[in-house]
Every structure is written in structure tokens, then in C-alpha cells.
Amino acid sequence: MRNFISVDDVQDLETLVKSALALKKNPYNYKHLGKDKTLGLIFLNPSLRTRLSTQKAAINLGMNVIVMNMDKEGWALETQDGVVMNHNTVEHIREAAAVMGQYCDIIGVRSFPKLVDKEEDYSEDFFNKFIKYANVPIISLESATLHPLQSFADIITIEETKTKPRPKVVLTWAPHIKALPQAVANSFAEWMNKADVEFVITHPKGYELAQKFSGKAPIVYNQDEALKNADYIYVKNWSSYEDYGKVVSMDSNWMLTNEKLKLTNNAKVMHCLPVRRGIELADEILDGENSLVIHEAANRVWSAQAILKEILEKNF
Ligand code: CP
């Protein structure tokens, strides 16, 4: 593995999950791997979990870490080629990424979509250019369309807690007051489609994900129907892909409650966080014993550490 942008960068998912679980048991076994190596973490958007867990993972491997909040501390970046930069952008990604590549051995980047132009966001232009010009391994800390470190932590969490070989996992849309990216849902779908689970997606009409990511997963428009016998429910809001970036429903009936849990096989409830209580998820769920949200967040360390370990082993 050179870059970690999507599940397609993973050669063997089962082996990678085992590697993460082994690191969880013995976090400091590979401290020699990161000696004198620098990880740069570049954020163009806010973060709590990704920032802290990836730093912790790198420290466990003996790496040095540099963090830059590019949106607040860096020059405004130009990404278009051939433009005369006589407006607000100060530095071109060609130079900025190339310079960062001189200081760092591996770079993690977070860059959310603008949710205005579907083609621009789904081309992953920013990430592709960053990979091209930085010339060092790149890890996605969440791109316009995917959040692979989150999905990897989610699959680790399911592996650790499942009570049957092939659990039923339901990805459900949840209401929200803002238009959010599709990245977490896209990513969860593409990882679940490669995992040994029965995977179902439920959302109101108009929230269909890009088929490239939802794959052959059945889409059930009736949430109660989808939740029947579920072992895991993955709760997430996303804005419309079809009517790009728009909020086409805010139906509060889609918020998961303890009443809805009665339809399930005592399902465990997952959410990547941050979560808006009382809108996306009921307090009674988040504070109840079925919630796995803190467990998932804790596993972000081991997903990041397994990826960093793999990149360090294969590229240096
Ligand atoms: N789940 C997640 O990526 O959290 P942050 O946005 O806080 O990093």
C-alpha cells in the first residue's frame, strides 16, 4: 500500500483487520518503524477524532507528527490549473503539496466537498493533485467522497462485537439541519460491500447514494422494514447525491429511538460522531447500552495505526 484513499487500496481486508486488533493488544511493538519519520496532518476542515487518533497512532509507532490547520493557518490554495491568480488564492497546490512532501515522509489530508458541483467533488480533484505533487504516501483523513479510516474502525468494531458469523448491518439515513457530505455513508457502504455481512441501506426517496459505492446493497425506503432483525444499525445523515448537496427531507420520524430498536435483534447502534442529539439520534440510544459510538471512536487509533504500519513497512 502506498496511498490510503479507499477500500480499493486494501489488498486483504481480513488480514488488515487482524493487524489492527493485534496492534490494539500490543500498541508499542512496532515503535522502531517510525523512528526519524515524520507524519504531516493537513486539515482543511475541523476534526476531533481523526486529528487525535491519527496523532496517537503515529506516536505509538515512534513517528514525529506535524499538524497544520491549512484552512486557518495556511495560504488560501488554488487548485485549478492555468488560472491567473489575481483573486483570493495565494498559493497553488502544485507548490504547496510539493513543499509539504519535502518536510514529511507521509501526509494525511482532510478536505471536505463544497457540495456545489457534483462532478468536481466526485472527481476527487484535490486529493488526486495532492498525491501527484506531494510525491510521498498520502492517507485520506476524509475526502470529498470517502472516509476510509472511519470505515476501517467501523469494521474493526463489528468484528470485535459480532455474535454471529454473518450479522445483518443496516445503514440508515438520519435527519439533520444542515447539508452534510455523503463521504461517511459512501465509505461505509463500500467497506460493508466487501465484508462478510448482510448489508441493507435505508433512506427516504431522494437520498440514493452513488451506485459506485452502494453497489448491489438492497435499498429499502421503509425504515421499519429495513430494521427488522438488524444486528447493527449505522446511523448517518447525508445530503442528496441526485439533487446534489440539497436537504430534500428533514423527516424527524427517521431518528432512531428505543421504540425502533424493538424491531431489531437487539441491534448495536453505530455513528461516526460528531452527532446532534435529539436530531440525528435520541439521547436514550446514545446513553443506552446498545450504543457503540465510543467504542468506534476508540478504534480510530487502531485503524490509523494499522494503515501507518503498512505504509511504513512497504515504502521505507
Ligand atoms: N468521525 C470523525 O471523523 O470525527 P472528526 O470529524 O471529529 O475527526
Side-chain angles (χ1 to χ4, degrees):
M1 181 190 292
R2 178 166 169 87
N3 303 308
F4 182 63
I5 307 299
S6 87
V7 74
D8 295 334
D9 295 310
V10 177
Q11 269 198 329
D12 180 344
L13 188 51
E14 207 180 315
T15 305
L16 194 66
V17 170
K18 281 188 183 146
S19 164
L21 290 172
L23 288 166
K24 188 169 183 174
K25 272 194 189 140
N26 295 295
Y28 312 114
N29 272 6
Y30 296 90
K31 225 172 168 69
H32 58 281
L33 276 181
K35 186 174 181 304
D36 299 332
K37 295 284 180 295
T38 299
L39 173 69
L41 297 178
I42 311 299
F43 288 91
L44 284 92
N45 310 94
S47 166
L48 186 160
R49 280 143 290 273
T50 306
R51 175 183 308 246
L52 297 184
S53 63
T54 312
Q55 283 192 62
K56 171 85 174 145
I59 292 165
N60 287 350
L61 290 168
M63 299 186 82
N64 301 307
V65 187
I66 302 171
V67 183
M68 182 157 185
N69 300 310
M70 196 69 191
D71 54 333
K72 298 180 191 76
E73 298 156 358
W75 302 114
L77 283 187
E78 179 59 60
T79 57
Q80 300 300 314
D81 288 324
V83 293
V84 176
M85 289 168 53
N86 59 358
H87 287 287
N88 294 333
T89 53
V90 179
E91 177 157 34
H92 203 280
I93 192 169
R94 284 173 178 253
E95 286 79 45
V99 168
M100 290 183 214
Q102 298 294 311
Y103 305 147
C104 305
D105 299 288
I106 302 173
I107 300 178
V109 185
R110 166 167 284 197
S111 177
F112 288 173
K114 296 189 191 95
L115 291 179
V116 176
D117 181 336
K118 185 195 300 193
E119 274 175 33
E120 183 188 329
D121 289 343
Y122 274 68
S123 73
E124 292 286 10
D125 181 56
F126 184 89
F127 259 75
N128 291 332
K129 284 184 172 147
F130 213 97
I131 289 169
K132 184 171 173 187
Y133 299 122
N135 203 26
V136 296
I138 301 295
I139 296 176
S140 168
L141 305 177
E142 189 169 340
S143 70
T145 65
L146 293 170
H147 195 357
L149 284 176
Q150 179 64 52
S151 308
F152 182 19
D154 297 332
I155 210 165
I156 294 167
T157 308
I158 291 173
E159 189 58 34
E160 283 183 305
T161 56
K162 70 184 185 186
T163 55
K164 59 170 75 154
R166 196 164 185 273
K168 178 175 176 183
V169 180
V170 179
L171 167 63
T172 181
W173 178 90
H176 201 284
I177 56 164
K178 284 188 158 183
L180 298 190
Q182 296 99 32
V184 170
N186 285 342
S187 204
F188 187 72
E190 72 165 11
W191 283 68
M192 283 302 113
N193 281 327
K194 293 216 168 177
D196 191 12
V197 299
E198 181 194 344
F199 181 50
V200 174
I201 302 174
T202 182
H203 53 70
K205 285 194 175 163
Y207 280 107
E208 291 76 9
L209 297 169
Q211 216 264 325
K212 174 182 171 190
F213 301 118
S214 56
K216 292 187 175 143
I219 295 165
V220 180
Y221 294 112
N222 181 327
Q223 191 191 41
D224 287 357
E225 187 63 33
L227 293 180
K228 273 183 196 156
N229 299 319
D231 298 296
Y232 291 89
I233 308 169
Y234 198 91
V235 179
K236 185 72 185 87
N237 170 269
W238 62 89
S239 59
S240 175
Y241 171 73
E242 201 175 293
D243 193 359
Y244 192 63
K246 299 285 187 306
V247 175
V248 295
S249 164
M250 287 177 64
D251 186 349
S252 58
N253 290 320
W254 279 75
M255 183 179 77
L256 199 65
T257 57
N258 276 347
E259 192 58 31
K260 285 181 190 263
L261 270 194
K262 288 180 187 162
L263 297 163
T264 72
N265 183 27
N266 195 24
K268 300 285 186 201
V269 180
M270 304 175 74
H271 189 289
C272 64
L273 303 180
V275 65
R276 288 192 184 237
R277 284 174 171 253
I279 296 176
E280 277 181 279
L281 258 174
D283 288 19
E284 63 190 12
I285 298 259
L286 284 162
D287 300 331
E289 58 187 30
N290 291 49
S291 171
L292 285 179
V293 299
I294 305 302
H295 191 139
E296 277 175 271
N299 279 337
R300 290 292 306 272
V301 174
W302 316 114
S303 68
Q305 195 165 331
I307 296 302
L308 285 168
K309 173 178 173 281
E310 171 100 1
I311 291 175
L312 286 167
E313 284 174 336
K314 298 275 161 67
N315 294 277
F316 298 96

